[in-house]
Amino acid sequence: MNKRFLWLLVVLVCLALILYALYPLLVGRDTAQHEGATAPAMTPDFKTYARFQKLREEMVTESIEARGVDDPAVLDAMRSVPRHAFVLDEYLDYAYDDHPLPIGYGQTISQPYIVAWMTELLELQPGERVLEIGSGSGYQAAVLAALGYVEVYSIEIVPELAQRAQHQLTELGYKVKVKQGDGYYGWPDYAPFDAIIVTAAPDHLPAPLVEQLRDGGCLVIPIGPPGGYQSLWKFVKTADDLSAYNMGGVAFVPFTGEGIQQAPEQYIPLP
């Protein structure tokens, strides 16, 4: 009887140790199922994972919802995408602060509120195709992909950033097609797009992007002089007309590339 009891005790202790070792993986699996198929893999350090998850929730509640973003799909995407996975190691402690962070090559990862706001302005519907100009770190594209119901395409002019963004998006399970090239000319191979989002500021509205926008489509873009504040514009294309809405002041890195410098004949004046 005593031997049986001892063997039972040993078995129970072993099971307890196994469950303790597997606990972080089990929690990560439950979280991934709750957040959708595009959720990233579990962080090896469970305490670090839990800390980032808490910071991410606080970011959404205090910096995004509190400022008026209320689309449930957008909020869920912002809660699920690990912004810390898209920042440089030296800025990891600031990953969930509501401001841009450098990512190298003179570029930045946009502040979370702006990412959520611009995503909401697109008013994306299931099955639509969206083009991002300026992949940067890949964070904005990840948020779009995390919606779970749109096709996402992204163009980045800096080769190193394009490669890094595609690698990170693929590693985390986000389905995004990334192309290295001059975003001024869009991506004709996959046009027309239901929505286009631009994350760098040209000094005028690029005509090729308007041409690649589907009738009824939406284009969200900051426009203004480099090195200063710009205005965030929302354009809606209807037949041969383009309705323009000035959403307010923003600050983005300048749009770069030959296209923006050599296309005055393609200039579309703002209202």
Side-chain angles (χ1 to χ4, degrees):
M1 188 70 176
N2 290 336
K3 288 184 178 180
R4 289 182 180 179
F5 177 77
L6 288 174
W7 274 111
L8 179 60
L9 184 61
V10 169
V11 170
L12 290 175
V13 170
C14 290
L15 286 174
L17 291 172
I18 292 171
L19 288 173
Y20 179 79
L22 292 177
Y23 179 73
L25 295 176
L26 294 173
V27 173
R29 183 179 302 169
D30 290 342
T31 303
Q33 290 173 349
H34 176 71
E35 294 177 348
T38 56
M42 180 67 180
T43 303
D45 185 340
F46 177 66
K47 288 184 179 179
T48 302
Y49 170 83
R51 171 172 164 262
F52 281 140
Q53 189 176 41
K54 181 175 183 293
L55 290 173
R56 192 157 60 244
E57 181 61 42
E58 290 174 353
M59 174 193 77
V60 172
T61 302
E62 299 172 8
S63 301
I64 297 173
E65 279 188 291
R67 297 175 69 178
V69 175
D70 58 8
D71 185 312
V74 173
L75 295 175
D76 285 346
M78 296 300 296
R79 286 189 181 98
S80 71
V81 177
R83 190 172 187 251
H84 64 273
F86 295 92
V87 305
L88 299 179
D89 289 345
E90 55 262 43
Y91 300 108
L92 204 57
D93 289 340
Y94 310 102
Y96 294 102
D97 291 355
D98 192 37
H99 56 71
L101 293 170
I103 58 172
Y105 307 95
Q107 305 301 306
T108 62
I109 180 174
S110 296
Q111 81 180 90
Y113 167 70
I114 292 294
V115 170
W117 182 34
M118 291 178 70
T119 303
E120 184 176 62
L121 288 174
L122 293 174
E123 300 183 60
L124 293 166
Q125 300 300 315
E128 291 190 334
R129 181 177 296 173
V130 57
L131 173 65
E132 178 197 26
I133 306 299
S135 311
S137 66
Y139 179 61
Q140 173 71 78
V143 170
L144 293 169
L147 294 173
Y149 51 75
V150 294
E151 295 179 32
V152 185
Y153 301 82
S154 186
I155 303 176
E156 171 56 49
I157 196 168
V158 179
E160 293 83 356
L161 290 180
Q163 183 177 9
R164 185 198 302 171
Q166 182 68 87
H167 172 78
Q168 197 69 352
L169 289 163
T170 302
E171 188 76 12
L172 294 172
Y174 297 109
K175 295 181 180 179
V176 179
K177 286 185 179 292
V178 178
K179 169 187 175 181
Q180 191 278 318
D182 191 337
Y184 188 91
Y185 302 107
W187 203 338
D189 292 347
Y190 292 100
F193 296 96
D194 299 285
I196 298 176
I197 181 172
V198 183
T199 60
D203 58 6
H204 64 272
L205 178 60
L209 299 185
V210 176
E211 293 169 2
Q212 293 175 35
L213 194 62
R214 189 187 303 276
D215 186 26
C218 176
L219 167 60
V220 175
I221 178 173
I223 299 177
Y229 285 96
Q230 306 99 22
S231 293
L232 185 66
W233 290 86
K234 176 178 178 176
F235 296 96
V236 179
K237 186 177 182 180
T238 53
D240 295 328
D241 191 26
L242 195 65
S243 300
Y245 307 90
N246 188 334
M247 308 307 299
V250 290
F252 279 81
V253 295
F255 201 109
T256 60
E258 292 184 0
I260 197 69
Q261 300 170 0
Q262 300 179 1
E265 69 280 2
Q266 296 178 301
Y267 180 88
I268 297 178
L270 296 177

